Amino acid sequence: MTTPLVSFEFFPPKTEAMEETLWASIEKLAPLNPQFVSVTYGAGGSTRERTHSIVRRIVNETNLKAAAHLTCVAASKAEVDEVVREYWDAGVRHIVALRGDMPEGPGTPYKSHPDGYANGAELTAGIKAIAPFEVSVSAYPECHPDSSNWDADIDQLAAKVDAGADRAITQFFFDNELFDAYRERVAKRGIDIPLVPGIIPVHSFKQVKRFADMCGASVPDKLAARFEGLETDEEQRRLVAAAVAAEQVADLEKRGVDRFHFYTMNRAELVYALCRLIGLKPTTEVAAAA
Ligand code: FAD
């Protein structure tokens, strides 16, 4: 059995203490040799500077391949293109290209900037026209809430692939049947770029439920029941979270999945354990064992 490919997603922290946690997590996860690590772009481009500085630091101070998330919200094509060029000049070779949401949050009808890129597909084409970046895009196993139907949703993914997308990373989900059904739809459409499931460990059920409600992902009753009453019992919550994520990842492996994108929430412990479960070993240990 080949070892799966993994990637880790981080977000730009707001405080110095959170920044320390982020770098400690990157340091802990780096020896697992991820295919890449990505850094999100705050809603409406609100973390532009912080995203840049973290991505740049990853490029300059680690051996990791950094991917910068980028959205087209509230920015002209010229402004977005400038950011893209800055990334290329800084040695970044991978962008996660997204439309994004209005600053008021998901659910507010999307209005593109009059001189801006309209969506992920246009942004992907724009990035590829600037330099030969690797481009990852989003995918939605439960259909994007703005899509009028499944055909429109898969059309959008197909447009991103036509624009040059190299890989699609999914919104998080908890029911693997949904991922399987989605894979089938995507394959039927003849889309053959890698479709990487996004896995979110449930560090806080309340927080994950809030994210899920915002982005239209479903939370099975079974999952809610597993965390019910554990709000004040951190130790038990962590054990349940580890078991839940391990169960999901192991089941996906059984379904033939061989790459995973982990939404780390800037925390290493649980994601590290999940990687060990699927066979990844830190390179230092591999070297020591050889
Ligand atoms: P697109 O794929 O461009 O479009 C999404 C949907 O919008 C389409 O399915 C379609 O319904 C509709 N649509 C788009 N264009 C058209 C059109 N021309 N005509 C009709 N309908 C259209 N958000 C952030 O702010 N920062 C991040 O860093 C970030 N990272 C993410 C990473 C991943 C892996 C994922 C899955 C999502 C991420 N998001 C992020 C959230 C994302 O910005 C939202 O889900 C947003 O609502 C859609 O962006 P998109 O790139 O998926 O949109």
Side-chain angles (χ1 to χ4, degrees), residues 9 40-43 69 71 96-101 118-121 138-140 144 146-147 153 156 160 169-171 263:
E9 182 173 310
T40 61
Y41 205 64
H69 291 222
T71 70
V96 182
L98 302 142
R99 183 196 74 177
D101 294 305
N119 50 41
S138 58
Y140 297 90
H144 189 279
D146 292 353
S147 293
D153 196 82
Q156 207 59 42
K160 291 189 275 198
I169 302 169
T170 77
Q171 185 59 273
Y263 295 104

Side-chain angles (χ1 to χ4, degrees), residues 2 6 25 28 51 54 64 99 106 155 182-183 210 230 234 240 245 250:
T2 53
V6 296
S25 299
K28 173 78 182 165
T51 300
I54 292 161
L64 296 166
R99 183 196 74 177
D155 279 352
Y182 183 68
R183 263 202 305 195
R210 192 162 49 81
L230 295 183
E234 196 188 336
V240 172

Side-chain angles (χ1 to χ4, degrees), residues 63-198:
N63 293 324
L64 296 166
K65 288 193 177 137
H69 291 222
L70 183 61
T71 70
C72 2
V73 182
S76 67
K77 283 184 189 172
E79 285 164 339
V80 171
D81 290 356
E82 192 192 321
V83 175
V84 173
R85 281 192 204 96
E86 276 170 20
Y87 275 133
W88 186 264
D89 293 343
V92 179
R93 296 291 178 262
H94 184 167
I95 290 182
V96 182
L98 302 142
R99 183 196 74 177
D101 294 305
M102 298 306 282
E104 295 78 17
T108 307
Y110 188 78
K111 253 182 120 181
S112 45
H113 184 285
D115 302 315
Y117 293 111
N119 50 41
E122 284 194 10
L123 177 60
T124 300
I127 293 167
K128 289 278 184 178
I130 290 171
F133 278 99
E134 186 172 345
V135 176
S136 297
V137 294
S138 58
Y140 297 90
E142 299 188 65
C143 201
H144 189 279
D146 292 353
S147 293
S148 45
N149 55 46
W150 268 116
D151 281 345
D153 196 82
I154 304 291
D155 279 352
Q156 207 59 42
L157 181 61
K160 291 189 275 198
V161 176
D162 290 346
D166 299 290
R167 146 193 326 93
I169 302 169
T170 77
Q171 185 59 273
F172 66 81
F173 58 91
F174 295 106
D175 178 352
N176 291 345
E177 293 292 333
L178 292 170
F179 180 73
D180 261 356
Y182 183 68
R183 263 202 305 195
E184 246 174 67
R185 287 178 200 278
V186 168
K188 243 190 210 157
R189 184 61 195 265
I191 294 171
D192 62 358
I193 60 169
L195 184 62
V196 187

Side-chain angles (χ1 to χ4, degrees), residues 210-255:
R210 192 162 49 81
F211 287 162
D213 290 345
M214 275 193 313
C215 71
S218 63
V219 175
D221 291 344
K222 187 176 165 191
L223 186 72
R226 285 170 153 186
F227 286 97
E228 201 181 315
L230 295 183
E231 294 79 11
T232 55
D233 191 339
E234 196 188 336
E235 195 186 342
Q236 284 303 313
R237 230 176 36 226
R238 274 168 41 186
L239 288 170
V240 172
V244 163
E247 186 179 278
Q248 181 177 20
V249 165
D251 181 64
L252 284 169
E253 272 201 303
K254 269 196 215 139
R255 294 167 192 253

